[in-house]
Amino acid sequence: MPINLQMPALSPTMEEGTLAKWLVKEGDEVASGDLLAEIETDKATMEFEAVDEGTIAKIVVAEGTDNVKVGEVIAIIAEEGEDVAAASKGGAESGESSAEKPKKEAPAPKGEEKPAKLSQDVTPKVTDPAPKGDAPASDGERIKVSPLARRLAEQKGVDLGALSGSGPGGRIIKADIDAAEGGSAPVNSQAAAPAPAPAVTPAPAPAANDFDIPHTSEKLSGMRKTIARRLTEAKQTIPHIYLTVDIQLDKLLKLRSELNATLEPRGVKLSVNDLLIKALAVSLMQVPKCNVSIDGDQLKTFARADISVAVSIPGGLITPIITSADTKSLSTISTEMKDLAGRAKDGKLKMHEYQGGTASISNMGMFGIKNFDAVINPPQAMIMAIGAGQKRPHVIDDSLQIATIMSATGSFDHRAIDGADGAQLMQVFKELVENPLGMLA
C-alpha cells in the first residue's frame, strides 16, 4: 500500500516550512535513516530522514515551495514489491501516512458476528507491528527509532528509553541522538511534560490608514511570525520584573586585553560579550534560585548554566546556546560562539543548538544603546540585557573620576523568581564583571 510522506514538524514551534531541496528523485530506493530532503523551518535549515523503506513513487511538492503546512503530503513511497506507477496515482488519496500508519480492525472470530458500528467507532483495534528498527521498551510498548539512530545510540551509549523523538510520529532520529550526546535532548517523561500553553488573545487588527501613504508590503516570513507569536505570548503570560545595575568595566577591559595578547598565537580573540556570557553563567550557579524554569505546577532548578545568546540574522533573531558555560574556558566560549553565530546567519544550526538553554543574554551595546528591557524567552525565567560601555563621571574611592560604565538590566519571571533573588543575581553579576579574575578561579 502506498505510503504518504508528510511534511514533518521539525521543531515545537513549526507550523509550516519551505521544502528547500530534495536529496532524492522519483524512482530512487530509500531505506529507513536515509536523508530525503532539506527543510527550512522557522529557525534553521534541517535534514529530513526516511522512516520507511521503499521506492520514491512520486514527488508531490517541488523543491523551493514555501508555506508547506505540517502534515501536508510531500511525496509518495511505494513499498517493496509494489507497483511504482500505481502507487504514484493512488498514494495521496488512499495511502498510509509515514508519520502514523492506520490501525487495522481485528477480524471477528469464526462463528461470531462482527459488532455493529455505532455513531462513534468502538470496534476493538490492533496496531501494526513496529516498523523495522524500532526497539522494545521496558513497559511492553515499542520505542519508535530509525535504524540509523538506533545504531548511533548503541555506539554512543545513549539510552533510547530516556529520549522523546522529534521525528514523524514521535520517531527518534539522528538529530535526537546528537542532542542527547550534547546533553540537551528532551526527556521522555509524562511527569515532566510541559503544561499546555495558555491561549493567547490575538491583538486587534489596526485600523486602515485614511491616507494614501506610499509604501511597500512584504509577507511575514515563518521566522517573523514565530517571533511575533512567542513575544506576544511572553508579554501576556509572564509577569516581568526588571532590575538594573551600573557596572564599572575598566578591570574587565584590561583583563580582556591581556588575555587576547596571550591567546593571539592560538588565533583566539575574546570579545566583551564572551566574558559577560561567562559572568552570567557563574552568577547563575552562585544564585541557583535564578537558574530555574516554570513547568506547569513544577519549578525546575538546573544543575548547569546553558546560556542562550541573542544573535541578529537576516529576517529575525535566533538564540544559539553555549552549554555548560559556567565550566568552560573563555577561549572555548569564544570559539564556540563564533562558530554558532556564523552558522546561525547561514541558517545551518541544528535544533538542539538553539532550543533549550537555562537563561539568555542580549547585548545591544555595539549599537550604542545605553540600556533596555529585554523580553523573557520562554520557558526560561530570566534574560540579561547589556547596554553600551560608556565613559561617565563615576565616584571611585570617594572622589569623582571618569570610568567606563555599563548598564545591565535583568528581566525576571516573577512567578518563578522573587525580587530579592533577582537582586542577588544582579549583585553577583556586577561583582564578577568588576572583579573578573573571580570568574576564572
Side-chain angles (χ1 to χ4, degrees), residues 314-381:
L317 185 77
I318 196 167
T319 52
I321 301 166
I322 301 292
T323 59
S324 301
D326 54 300
T327 59
K328 285 180 177 173
S329 67
L330 287 170
S331 59
T332 300
I333 290 174
S334 178
T335 302
E336 286 188 9
M337 194 63 241
K338 286 181 175 63
D339 172 61
L340 289 168
R343 288 191 290 116
K345 292 177 180 178
D346 293 334
K348 296 296 184 183
L349 287 180
K350 297 177 182 178
M351 186 164 57
H352 70 273
E353 292 177 319
Y354 62 84
Q355 289 187 355
T358 66
S360 296
I361 188 168
S362 178
N363 190 341
M364 297 183 72
M366 66 284 294
F367 300 110
I369 301 301
K370 184 176 180 180
N371 59 61
F372 66 103
D373 299 335
V375 180
I376 294 170
N377 179 25
Q380 296 174 8

Side-chain angles (χ1 to χ4, degrees), residues 123-255:
T123 306
K125 297 186 178 182
V126 295
T127 55
D128 288 339
K132 184 178 179 182
D134 288 2
S138 59
D139 59 2
E141 297 182 356
R142 303 190 72 86
I143 300 173
K144 295 181 179 180
V145 54
S146 73
L148 174 61
R150 184 178 184 183
R151 196 160 54 246
L152 290 173
E154 291 173 354
Q155 293 172 359
K156 299 178 179 181
V158 174
D159 180 9
L160 293 173
L163 301 185
S164 178
S166 62
R171 181 69 55 88
I172 297 173
I173 58 176
K174 177 178 179 293
D176 300 319
I177 304 301
D178 293 338
E181 189 183 19
S184 58
V187 177
N188 184 9
S189 169
Q190 291 183 352
V200 178
T201 306
N209 274 333
D210 295 330
F211 307 102
D212 186 14
I213 302 174
H215 68 279
T216 60
S217 296
E218 181 179 353
K219 187 175 180 180
L220 291 178
S221 66
M223 177 181 292
R224 180 54 60 188
K225 285 189 284 188
T226 299
I227 290 172
R229 176 176 56 79
R230 283 178 59 82
L231 292 183
T232 301
E233 177 186 337
K235 290 295 286 185
Q236 287 186 341
T237 62
I238 298 176
H240 287 55
I241 179 174
Y242 306 101
L243 304 173
T244 302
V245 292
D246 287 338
I247 303 173
Q248 187 178 344
L249 281 182
D250 295 286
K251 287 184 180 179
L252 183 137
L253 295 176
K254 181 181 179 182
L255 176 63

